[in-house]
Each structure stands twice: as structure tokens, then as C-alpha cells.
Amino acid sequence: MADDLSSFVEEQEIPQLREFLLGLEPPEPPLLLRNDILMAFHAYCEQHPEAGDLAGSWRFLRKTQEILFAADLLIIIYRHRRANCRIFALSPENDQLTALSVLDFLTLKERLLRPELPPQQRTLALDLAPFYDYGPGLKDPNTIGQGIKFLNRHMSGNLANHPEKWNRSLYEFLKLHQLHGVQLLLNGTLVGNSEGLEAALGQAMDFLERCRYPDDLARIYQRLAKFGFLEGWGDSLPRILETMHLLQDILEQPDEANLEEFLSRIPMVSKVVLLSPHGWFGQDNVLGRPDTGGQVVYVLDQAKALEEFLTGDLKSAGLDIEPKILIITRLIPENEGTTSDQRLEKVKGTANVWILRVPFRYPDQSVVPHWISRFRIWPYLDQFAVDAEEELRRELGGRPDLIVGNYSDGNLVATRLSKSMGVIQCNIAHALEKSKYLYSDLYWHQFEQDYNFSIQFMVDLIAMNQANFIITSTAQEITGTDNSIGQYESYQFFTMPGLINVVSGINLFHPRFNVIPPGVSQEIYFPYNRKRSRPAKMRKQVSDLLFSTEDGDCLGRLAEPDKPPIFTIARLDRIKNLTGLVEAYGQDQELRQRANLVMVASVVDPERSKDAEEAAEIRKMHGLLDQYQLHGQVRWIGKFLGKRETGEAYRIVADRGGIFVQPALFEAFGLTILEAMHSGLPVFATQFGGPLEIIEHEHSGFLINPADPASMTARLNEFFRHCAEDSRHWQGFSRRALERAQSRFTWPLHCRKLTRLTKVYGFWRYSISQQAKTRLNQYSELLYHLYFKERAGRLS
């Protein structure tokens, strides 16, 4: 199959486009990525003004993700839509674009980029596409991330078109439900099949509509039991009747909205397990090591919000059942004065949420005493999953109703537990390492000593493909943008030369993907103008810390402390780009006159950092402060702030008419952005990644380009100028940021959607043919035992 350039650009542009493409100088490695291609074409256009309008060529090159130089051929990766790539070879002889298969492309790429490999070596090819024949597939890339909507439509269509089979599945699904050993919903003896269910429904609804004791719930359920209906239909007569009406509508005339609403009312979830195995997970001063603190905050907040939501959910079903949530992490005997060596720790402010710690063990079953980097924990996870199952069965008195994995290690353990216990599994990646490091797959062997990507990328593939559903904070995590490939999309095909060629690693069009953004604790992050909720003592304490305290953890004494503050808070690593923000601020004299810069970041002494990258950024920060003589305009607080102190910090900055800036080079989501918005603080955040889906540019905040320091500071200057001219300007952005956060990004919304997903996918999991899914699971099991365990074992 072949196209030619005329399929993509106008005939008159082809000579210039060919000249540009064939004139490109092969770099080292012989590979050009999208940004490099566009920069080269921009330079070409400037050098050839006579070429005229090349709009078609620009469109073609903007969709070109990669160009590989192969002898006299150019290999072009053309991403014509999100999650859809075509691979072409262009020769100097003609305009023809010859299509290449993914396997041929990966084989060629492997040879070109690793010429030292044996020429006759045959690399393992991994293709999971044939195993995706067990379920429906989406067609439109723009619907990826809306799996529940698609699945409800598919299942309601099956209920309508194949009522005998699917009504029977629905009946059996309802009949099997128990919580805490109590049978719910249906008595299978009295209601023996789906036809009997329809008849019993009619009798029960007739009784409910004529019931003379509408407030006596116990007596109502006593009467319903005679028709075969047990507890769990609702906590009032109207609720019970409404739920039964939904079921009757589904049996008679299925509708996707009714199906979702009915399934959401089934009391299916009371025991939840959240997994974050790599440890250093606690509450007081135990919030992860570098690069994991955000995940700890996320999981703790999610657990608290889930308990609150499930309490109401079970009550609305008419059940007096207390939910229980276990956060399973690693027990670390060498605890450094923290609670990391405690087996069980109650989560503060909850009724029944616990941190359950399970140790890593050596092959001789002795406990691993010290903390281990998350890049080196792989040898311990197989036994950890076995031990965790035993511990959680003891704590829960049985199995959970939902298992949620976090990050690559948590997702792998969730996969093992789900398989062993027969429990529905949800994956949350937070951020996939493959997208963080340029050429991490191509040069995996160079990264291996520090990061062990050969193991981690396979772990991601196994867990992605076995999860019942996957949730992400943004759609970009899955399919990226028109200009960039998504994190999950990068797993569609790739090569790790000499090790494995992944021809088809993940099917993005399977309806397992759903976008559910997190929230923040609204008890902690609330608007600055809610003065009565702000204790004066804490306000003074945090204000002093931000602006005046002088000790070894605070650097910089503000010469004009009354100027509005530019506030930022993050760990000090390259991707967060705090040094980039300080350098941009140092170079902009107008901004330095208008505002101070206040940052909360890691520690000020590089010798106290345990992370090499962080220590390097700390040293760089000191150099910038000296280079631009910023000690009177920049204040650096190098200490950990508790969540309540952080919330008050946002509000104090808002009191002073300040702003929050998040200048990361890439941000998968951006919880600090939400924290600031919920506090009523105007926000400026990177345009690369999740903030694109949080902020409505120039309405509820601003998107900035951290790669262009001058434009970034120009936007800050413009905002402060407008504020100086009209005080309502600041107020308007504060109000709209708050409205956006409260309407779209809250934990109650997150938990409602997560619980609905569990119930809908639970029915789907029960109803589909298990044979094909079993084939995928068996293949994944082979990869786990023959690939993962073998390579992980080398680290022992």
C-alpha cells in the first residue's frame, strides 16, 4: 500500500517539501522529533522566502512525530489523529510514501539506533492486539477516556437486542450480591429466573404504590421479602420504588442513562483496598520520598473522601454498614523516627480508614529493614502480594470489593491480588516514567543501572492490560494533544533494542479508560475570605514563616515585604523548573519592581538532600540568587509544610493580592494548582500537560510557556499592571478560579464517579464472555513469570 506526497499537500508545494525533507542532515542518533522538525522547517522557510505559502507542508509536518534516517530512505511517523499513526518510507527517487508495518519499522529502528547489536539477532516481538476480541471498541479518538459512557450504551443495546441472554445475566448479577455475609437484593429461591424477576417486580411495585405505612421501612422490607426482594433497594419507600422502576425500564426498554443510574444504586462496595507499595507512606512528616509525595497526598485524600461517600451510598441503599478502607504500603523497620515501622495506623479524621504496612522480604523470608528506591523494589513485589493478601483478608474478614493500584508497583500488586482474589481492579498511574525521560525505551540499557526501565515498562504493560478499568486525571494522559503523544499512547508501539519490540502494547480504543480528576480537601483548602475558619495563631505563624522568620531553613530577607508575592511550592527537581522561574524573574527588571518571589521548595542546604538531582537543583538555585542579586526580592523556605500550613500559605498570599505560579516543564496533572484555585488564588501554570484541562486560559487562570521565559514574565507583568489599574481584575480571576475548582475538581465528584465505574464495570466483567479475556490474562501471566520475575530476580 502506498500514498504520495500529493495526498497530503498541494502539488505546487511538493518540490519545496521534498527539498526540505531530503536535505535534512542526519543527527546523532539518526532521529528527529517533532519540535526539531518544525524548527528546521522554520529555518528553511526563512532561508527560502521565494517558496511562498507552504501551509499544507506545515500541516503535514505538524502531524509528523518522528523522522528516522535509514540510508537513502526517510522513515516518517505520521500521526494523522490522536492514537493513530501511519508509518511511511520516502525515497529520493519519487514522491511515493510506502507504508511500513509496525514490526518492520521497529526492526529497522532497532538496527539503526543500536548498530552494535549482532546483525542476525531476532528480537522478541510482543503483539497484544489479537487478544482484544472480547469486547467492543471505540472508533472516535475524541471519545477515549469516556469508557463508562460507551460501555453503558453498548450494554443497554445488548439488553435491547439480546434480551434473553442479557436479562439472564442481569438477574444472576443481582442474585449474587452479598455484603458482610448478608444476602442482598434477591432471594434466588423465590425469584428463580429473569422472567420471574419481571413478575415479582410488578407485584412489589403494586404493593409499594398502595402501601399504607410508607414510613415503616422494616415492615416494608418484611412484606417485600414475600415477593423475593431483600434489603438493599433503598432507605425509603420513594427510593425503593424509584430503583425498582429503573430496573423495570431496563428489562422492558433499556436506556444507557437508566442502566448507569440503576447499577450505581446497587450496594456493591463497602471494603476498598488502595495500594502504594514503595512505602514511606504516613501522615505526620511521612509523605513520600522525592517524586512520590504527591501520590501520598492523593491516596490519603482519596481514602478519606471514599469513606465519606460510601457511608452515604450504603445508607441510601437502606443498609446500616460501615465501610472500611485499607491503604496497603510497605513496612520499613529503619523508620527514621516516623510511623513507617507500624503495622497498622489509623488515618486521622476517619472512622474506619487504616494504613496497613506489610514488609518486603528477602528470599530467606527475613525482613528488608531499609528504604529502597521505587526503581529497585521489583524483586520484592511477588512475595509482597502474597503477604498483603494474607494481611488484608485478616483485617477485612474476607476479600475486598475493589482494589485500586497506584503507580507502576501498586498496579502490579493490584493485578496479582485481583487475579488471586477475584476482585475488580482499578489502575491509577499518576505519571508513567516512559514519557519523562527522552529516549528511555531506545537507550534503556543506559538507564538500566539507575532506573530498571526494562522491568518497569513491562510491568506497565501487564497491569494496563489486566486492569478492569483505568482512571486518569486528564484525557491528555491517555492520548495527549494534537501536538503531543499521550503517556498511555506511547505504549502502543515501541522498541527496546536487543530486548523486545512492542508491536501492539495497549489498545487505547478499549473502553477501560476513564478520566476522573481528583480534588483537594476542602476542609484544608478553602477560600481566603472565609476569615472565621482561619485561626489567628496559625495565620501569624505561617505569615511569619513566609515573610520574616530568619533561621537555617529560610533564605532571603525581603527589602519591600509589602509588594504582592508571586508564590510557588514544589520539590526541587528539573521537571518542576523552579530554577527556571527564578532565572526568568531575575532577568525581568519590571517584574522585580512589581512583586516579590516566595517559594517553598525542598531544603536550602544541598548536603541535606538525599537525592542527587534535587541537590544539583539546590546548588543551581544558590548560583542564580547570587548571579542576579535576588536576596532582597526572593524568599526561599526550605522546609516541609504540613497540609494545613500549606492551605493557609495560599490564603495569606491571596490576602496580599499575590498569585500562584506553577512553571513545570511538564505536569501530568497539578494538585498544587487545584489547591491554589480552591483557596481563591489567581493561578499561572504550565501549558504542557494537565493544566490545559484545569485552567480556562484568560478566564479562570493563565497558561504559560516555561520554555519561553520572556513571554512567561511578560504575562505576569501584564496581570499586575491590570491589577494596579483596576482592583476588580484580581478579584475576577480569584472568583472564577474558585468557581472552576468547586464545580469540576472535588473529591465528592471523584468518589461518585469512581464508585459508579466499579459498579458498571463490575456488571460488564460478570457479563462478558470470559474465554477471550482469559487468553489475554494467560498471556500476561506468561510475561509476568517468564519476563518480569526473571529480570527482577537479577536485582536481588
Side-chain angles (χ1 to χ4, degrees), residues 527-757:
Y528 71 97
N529 52 14
R530 198 190 298 169
K531 301 292 186 184
R532 292 183 180 178
S533 302
R534 299 173 60 185
K537 183 178 179 181
M538 176 178 285
R539 194 187 313 182
K540 183 180 187 309
Q541 178 185 355
V542 176
S543 182
D544 288 348
L545 179 65
L546 291 181
F547 298 104
S548 60
T549 299
E550 295 186 18
D551 60 26
D553 294 320
C554 299
L555 187 66
R557 184 174 183 178
L558 300 177
E560 299 178 73
D562 291 334
K563 287 181 181 178
I566 300 168
F567 182 59
T568 190
I569 180 169
R571 64 183 182 273
L572 263 172
D573 61 16
R574 287 191 297 271
I575 201 74
K576 291 300 183 183
N577 193 41
L578 294 196
T579 51
L581 174 62
V582 169
E583 184 162 24
Y585 175 84
Q587 293 171 346
D588 193 311
Q589 292 300 323
E590 180 184 351
L591 190 58
R592 292 171 64 171
Q593 289 298 315
R594 290 187 176 277
N596 293 316
L597 176 57
V598 178
M599 58 183 178
V600 177
S602 301
V603 294
V604 298
D605 181 0
E607 299 303 318
R608 290 172 56 192
S609 174
K610 297 182 179 181
D611 182 84
E613 181 180 315
E614 180 184 66
E617 286 294 292
I618 293 170
R619 293 188 184 96
K620 182 178 179 181
M621 185 70 78
H622 283 288
L624 291 170
L625 294 176
D626 292 338
Q627 178 184 349
Y628 294 102
Q629 299 182 336
L630 293 172
H631 291 282
Q633 294 169 308
V634 173
R635 179 140 168 99
W636 178 4
I637 295 92
K639 63 171 61 176
F640 171 81
L641 292 189
K643 292 175 66 176
R644 293 190 181 278
E645 289 81 7
T646 302
E648 188 58 31
Y650 291 121
R651 290 186 287 272
I652 288 170
V653 172
D655 290 336
R656 294 172 173 241
I659 61 174
F660 176 75
V661 178
Q662 203 273 32
L665 299 174
F666 176 82
E667 181 61 62
F669 183 65
L671 278 177
T672 55
I673 300 168
L674 285 190
E675 293 169 358
M677 292 173 74
H678 274 281
S679 304
L681 190 56
V683 293
F684 294 72
T686 179
Q687 68 186 40
F688 300 119
L692 277 169
E693 295 180 39
I694 299 175
I695 295 170
E696 305 157 295
H697 182 51
E698 296 185 342
H699 180 75
S700 58
F702 298 89
L703 296 168
I704 55 177
N705 183 357
D708 186 349
S711 73
M712 178 169 65
T713 56
R715 190 168 289 284
L716 302 185
N717 275 318
E718 181 183 26
F719 179 80
F720 281 120
R721 280 197 297 270
H722 284 309
C723 291
E725 296 165 1
D726 182 357
S727 61
R728 293 173 299 179
H729 189 73
W730 188 97
Q731 294 288 347
F733 277 94
S734 169
R735 184 186 71 254
R736 291 190 294 272
L738 184 60
E739 289 170 352
R740 173 76 171 171
Q742 291 179 339
S743 66
R744 298 287 295 275
F745 304 100
T746 69
W747 280 119
L749 280 174
H750 173 97
C751 293
R752 177 178 180 271
K753 292 177 181 178
L754 174 59
T755 306
R756 284 190 171 223
L757 286 173

Side-chain angles (χ1 to χ4, degrees), residues 4 15 25 40 48 50 65 100 184 191 206 222 263 313 338 377 422 425 449 470 496 534 625 630 776:
D4 57 46
E25 288 293 324
H48 298 83
E50 74 282 357
Q65 296 300 311
L100 287 183
L184 300 174
V191 183
D206 183 58
Q222 192 174 34
L263 291 174
D313 189 56
T338 71
I377 64 175
Q425 170 199 354
Q449 183 174 352
I470 296 170
M496 300 180 80
R534 299 173 60 185
L625 294 176
L630 293 172
L776 178 58

Side-chain angles (χ1 to χ4, degrees), residues 68-85:
L68 184 67
F69 295 81
D72 59 344
L73 291 176
L74 288 183
I75 311 301
I76 297 170
I77 310 299
Y78 183 74
R79 184 172 176 257
H80 57 106
R81 302 176 77 191
R82 296 188 193 190
N84 286 275
C85 284

Side-chain angles (χ1 to χ4, degrees), residues 126-314:
L126 176 64
D127 185 357
L128 298 179
F131 298 101
Y132 274 90
D133 58 353
Y134 66 90
L138 291 80
K139 304 299 182 187
D140 183 357
N142 293 320
T143 63
I144 294 174
Q146 303 171 33
I148 188 173
K149 181 178 180 180
F150 178 86
L151 208 53
N152 279 320
R153 185 178 304 138
H154 174 78
M155 291 193 295
S156 61
N158 276 325
L159 282 161
N161 298 322
H162 308 285
E164 184 175 338
K165 174 187 173 183
W166 279 76
N167 285 355
R168 184 169 62 250
S169 291
L170 182 58
Y171 160 77
E172 295 289 346
F173 184 68
L174 297 176
K175 191 178 71 172
L176 62 81
H177 276 296
Q178 294 183 354
L179 281 182
H180 296 212
V182 177
Q183 183 68 40
L184 300 174
L185 300 178
L186 289 181
N187 181 331
T189 303
L190 294 180
V191 183
N193 52 42
S194 57
E195 292 79 9
L197 174 59
E198 292 189 64
L201 262 180
Q203 292 177 300
M205 291 167 66
D206 183 58
F207 154 69
L208 291 169
E209 287 168 351
R210 295 184 293 101
C211 181
R212 295 192 300 274
Y213 39 88
D215 299 323
D216 192 339
L217 192 62
R219 193 175 172 190
I220 289 171
Y221 269 117
Q222 192 174 34
R223 183 67 185 276
L224 287 175
K226 295 181 179 180
F227 304 122
F229 294 97
L230 306 176
E231 288 186 288
W233 293 91
D235 61 347
S236 66
L237 186 150
R239 174 83 176 188
I240 296 169
L241 187 58
E242 192 176 67
T243 305
M244 289 186 170
H245 267 300
L246 286 168
L247 177 57
Q248 188 178 59
D249 289 344
I250 292 166
L251 294 172
E252 292 179 357
Q253 194 171 2
D255 170 84
E256 60 188 271
N258 285 344
L259 178 62
E260 179 178 335
E261 181 59 29
F262 173 71
L263 291 174
S264 75
R265 294 183 177 212
I266 298 176
M268 291 170 55
V269 185
S270 67
K271 300 175 183 178
V272 180
V273 169
L274 309 177
L275 281 149
S276 181
H278 48 260
W280 220 251
F281 191 116
Q283 300 177 80
D284 295 325
N285 301 319
V286 197
L287 291 172
R289 292 298 197 186
D291 203 30
T292 65
Q295 182 194 136
V296 175
V297 172
Y298 179 108
V299 175
L300 277 173
D301 284 350
Q302 184 190 50
K304 294 175 185 177
L306 262 176
E307 181 189 48
E308 184 177 350
F309 179 83
L310 290 176
T311 299
D313 189 56
L314 292 166

Side-chain angles (χ1 to χ4, degrees), residues 303-340:
K304 294 175 185 177
L306 262 176
E307 181 189 48
E308 184 177 350
F309 179 83
L310 290 176
T311 299
D313 189 56
L314 292 166
K315 183 181 179 184
S316 67
L319 302 175
D320 185 18
I321 292 177
E322 184 180 76
K324 185 169 185 176
I325 297 171
L326 292 179
I327 301 168
I328 297 187
T329 188
R330 185 191 159 206
L331 186 146
I332 307 175
E334 295 178 2
N335 65 332
E336 299 183 22
T338 71
T339 57
S340 291

